[in-house]
Amino acid sequence: MSMYNSLFVVGGGFVGQGGDCLPSSPSGRFLLWSWWFFVMLIIAMYTANLTAFLTLDSQKVPINKATDLLSQQAYEWGIHYPSFSESVLALHSKEAYRNLVNSATAIENMSTGIARVENEKFVYIDETLRFSHHLLDKCDILYVGEELVSVPYAFGISKNCPYLRLIDKQMLQYKEEGYFEGLWNQYVTSGATCGGSSVSDDQTLTIDMIKGIFYFLALGVAISASLLVLEVIMVSIKDYPQKPEMTFCIKVKERIWLKVDDIKTEWFGKSKGVNRDLEIPGIVSNQR
């Protein structure tokens, strides 16, 4: 293949086209397949990222995390008081979270907070588990930002209970098997129409996110190179059958220089006049 055809085939991969002139060797075909698969994944990830970006932009929510509330004037915010979340944030090591609680409106119950979110430009801060239950049919309310507080739940038993180890073991087993999540989905979220969609920070594609695709491409190049070496070895064994005095290393060297000369001729129109008179079984050369 000439340089023009090679560049055309590589560029055609970006638009899902292969071109008319394709490599015939196994190494060239495998390399081209790896490149096409790499391009397909890149385009798929870019399309998904662009869709997410346009979706977030259409939502027009100027808040990506809780502390953004302190630097904006469009939304008021409130927190259930008193509550575990309020206590944790009020005693937080970071001043921004303490200021968040001090500037928040005290909300008496979940219903009041949800009503204000629906009718006003209002942000309500509470436990995720409580939101998950109360927002099952609220399609116009969104989660924003990361989870501030992870609230653990436990079962209370009597002190020095002889069954403590047995209960702990069984609870851990249920958790590992997803038993509690199954119960939640069965009795709480089954039949939910919405459940509160989430809006998080808009992410851009980075090398860390797609480095696995580049690893795949590098693997494809390595396998293609291995196939190329194997091809050179196989054809070198068959070269010069009438000259048994030629060593295998000389045959490989002749074959490599012949290929280099072919590349220079096809790509650049230059040749150093390498001896192309190879004696291959079944082929009679007329270049004498």
Side-chain angles (χ1 to χ4, degrees):
M1 294 176 61
S2 65
M3 177 180 287
Y4 171 78
N5 289 329
S6 300
L7 294 177
F8 183 78
V9 170
V10 171
F14 283 105
V15 292
Q17 302 298 322
D20 297 329
C21 186
L22 299 176
S24 58
S25 63
S27 58
R29 289 183 175 182
F30 190 87
L31 179 61
L32 188 58
W33 176 83
S34 301
W35 170 253
W36 284 345
F37 192 76
F38 169 80
V39 171
M40 182 187 69
L41 293 179
I42 288 291
I43 293 176
M45 294 189 67
Y46 176 79
T47 303
N49 188 259
L50 178 62
T51 302
F53 171 78
L54 295 177
T55 302
L56 291 175
D57 186 64
S58 63
Q59 303 263 354
K60 295 183 179 179
V61 178
I63 303 169
N64 292 321
K65 54 183 180 294
T67 52
D68 289 346
L69 291 169
L70 298 172
S71 59
Q72 56 83 42
Q73 303 294 330
Y75 287 83
E76 296 181 2
W77 65 94
I79 188 170
H80 186 200
Y81 182 86
S83 66
F84 178 80
S85 299
E86 180 270 335
S87 300
V88 170
L89 293 176
L91 299 175
H92 203 281
S93 59
K94 294 184 179 180
E95 184 180 0
Y97 290 105
R98 298 197 299 270
N99 293 337
L100 188 67
V101 174
N102 295 333
S103 303
T105 302
I107 303 298
E108 298 178 355
N109 51 61
M110 175 70 73
S111 299
T112 302
I114 293 178
R116 293 197 60 176
V117 171
E118 290 180 312
N119 301 319
E120 308 172 20
K121 285 190 172 183
F122 191 79
V123 176
Y124 183 45
I125 303 174
D126 208 330
E127 299 172 14
T128 303
L129 192 61
R130 287 162 55 96
F131 277 133
S132 300
H133 175 66
H134 286 83
L135 300 182
L136 295 178
D137 57 347
K138 305 292 184 181
C139 299
D140 56 345
I141 296 180
L142 303 172
Y143 295 118
V144 177
E146 76 282 0
E147 184 175 307
L148 292 178
V149 180
S150 179
V151 182
Y153 286 85
F155 294 92
I157 59 176
S158 60
K159 189 175 182 180
N160 299 323
C161 176
Y163 305 106
L164 178 60
R165 289 180 175 269
L166 179 62
I167 294 175
D168 286 344
K169 180 180 179 181
Q170 193 64 39
M171 288 297 176
L172 289 174
Q173 181 178 348
Y174 280 153
K175 183 177 180 181
E176 292 175 354
E177 295 175 352
Y179 175 75
F180 296 114
E181 184 177 357
L183 288 180
W184 178 266
N185 294 332
Q186 179 180 355
Y187 293 102
V188 181
T189 62
S190 60
T193 56
C194 294
S197 302
S198 63
V199 176
S200 58
D201 296 341
D202 52 326
Q203 299 289 336
T204 57
L205 290 178
T206 62
I207 295 298
D208 290 337
M209 296 173 61
I210 60 177
K211 60 183 179 181
I213 306 177
F214 286 94
Y215 290 155
F216 170 82
L217 181 61
L219 178 62
V221 173
I223 295 177
S224 298
S226 301
L227 291 175
L228 178 61
V229 171
L230 182 61
E231 291 172 10
V232 172
I233 293 175
M234 294 299 296
V235 297
S236 298
I237 293 175
K238 298 179 180 181
D239 286 345
Y240 301 105
Q242 304 302 326
K243 296 181 180 180
E245 69 278 3
M246 293 186 65
T247 64
F248 174 74
C249 293
I250 295 177
K251 292 181 180 181
V252 172
K253 182 178 178 180
E254 288 287 334
R255 174 59 64 171
I256 292 176
W257 278 110
L258 178 63
K259 189 58 183 177
V260 170
D261 187 66
D262 285 340
I263 293 176
K264 291 181 178 179
T265 302
E266 293 178 359
W267 286 27
F268 307 105
K270 299 178 180 179
S271 176
K272 290 187 177 181
V274 177
N275 179 25
R276 310 175 67 84
D277 188 16
L278 292 180
E279 298 181 15
I280 302 175
I283 300 177
V284 178
S285 175
N286 59 4
Q287 299 177 12
R288 297 293 181 181

